[in-house]
Amino acid sequence: MIRWSRPDEGRYVVPLLYAAIGQDIAAMLTGESDARLATEVMQNFFERSGNRLSYENIVVAEADGRPVGCVLFYHGSRIVELDQPLVDRIAALTSNPAVSFTRESRDDEFYLDSLAVDDQYQGRGIGGALIEAFEAEGRARGHERLALIVINGNDKAKALYIKKGYEPDGQIELCGHVYDHMVKRIDGSGGISD
């Protein structure tokens, strides 16, 4: 079942998100290099509204009574607003008011930030179903441009996105890694039911 996440599901969803974004980006977003501390911070933000890591921006795939996959997305025009609570936390920790994050998304795109499926549930089409849910929500919200990034060297993921109609249109550097920015044009209607 594909559905919107709930604030009480962080114990399932946050480890998936951490696996998807990796230690470097998790440290950037949380200000914590230790995986345990970073996931604790991510859990706190997951449970709250109005930030990038919030349950509000996440759709899950449920199997065996729990989330086993997730996709995190939002409109690119909202990234500064959604990142502000995370930036504020790091600025307070470091006493550096000039903290900022590299911008991953553009203002004119519906952005797939992160996608993950529990290792035990891979190979069952869950990742594809989550991508379809992201695209359906983009259509339902009236967006015409979808986007995501893929780290250089992850040829399997890049091939999957190309197969689904995404095309590379540039690169960005994030936390010392180079990513391909990929886009897809859509139209129509759809959406994720509650």
Side-chain angles (χ1 to χ4, degrees), residues 4 48-58 72-87 101 103-111 113 137 141 143:
W4 286 100
R48 296 171 26 201
S49 62
N51 71 84
R52 180 198 294 215
L53 301 174
S54 173
Y55 70 92
E56 297 174 311
N57 303 319
I58 298 172
L72 166 64
F73 53 77
Y74 43 82
H75 196 268
S77 64
R78 295 191 62 216
I79 190 63
V80 173
E81 162 200 347
L82 292 173
D83 278 349
Q84 196 60 55
L86 297 155
V87 167
F101 299 151
R103 188 163 182 163
E104 300 170 41
S105 60
R106 300 174 186 160
D107 280 344
D108 65 342
E109 59 194 26
F110 196 55
Y111 183 66
D113 180 295
E137 191 63 20
R141 295 183 190 190
H143 302 306

Side-chain angles (χ1 to χ4, degrees), residues 23-98:
Q23 181 179 6
D24 293 341
I25 294 176
M28 177 192 78
L29 294 175
T30 65
E32 303 291 348
S33 57
D34 178 80
R36 183 184 59 79
L37 294 175
T39 55
E40 285 177 10
V41 173
M42 290 174 66
Q43 171 92 22
N44 181 274
F45 280 106
F46 173 85
E47 294 169 356
R48 296 171 26 201
S49 62
N51 71 84
R52 180 198 294 215
L53 301 174
S54 173
Y55 70 92
E56 297 174 311
N57 303 319
I58 298 172
V59 167
V60 297
E62 181 181 319
D64 301 324
R66 66 181 179 89
V68 298
C70 66
V71 60
L72 166 64
F73 53 77
Y74 43 82
H75 196 268
S77 64
R78 295 191 62 216
I79 190 63
V80 173
E81 162 200 347
L82 292 173
D83 278 349
Q84 196 60 55
L86 297 155
V87 167
D88 290 346
R89 179 184 186 280
I90 295 169
L93 279 176
T94 62
S95 299
N96 177 7

Side-chain angles (χ1 to χ4, degrees), residues 130-178:
L130 289 167
I131 293 168
E132 289 171 14
F134 159 69
E135 293 180 355
E137 191 63 20
R139 281 186 202 92
R141 295 183 190 190
H143 302 306
E144 297 176 356
R145 181 181 165 103
L146 305 175
L148 52 87
I149 60 173
V150 179
I151 194 166
N152 278 5
N154 190 345
D155 296 333
K156 183 178 175 183
K158 187 173 180 180
L160 170 66
Y161 292 127
I162 288 171
K163 183 178 177 182
K164 292 203 168 277
Y166 291 83
E167 299 177 354
D169 80 334
Q171 294 185 323
I172 68 164
E173 185 175 329
L174 185 61
C175 296
H177 305 283
V178 177

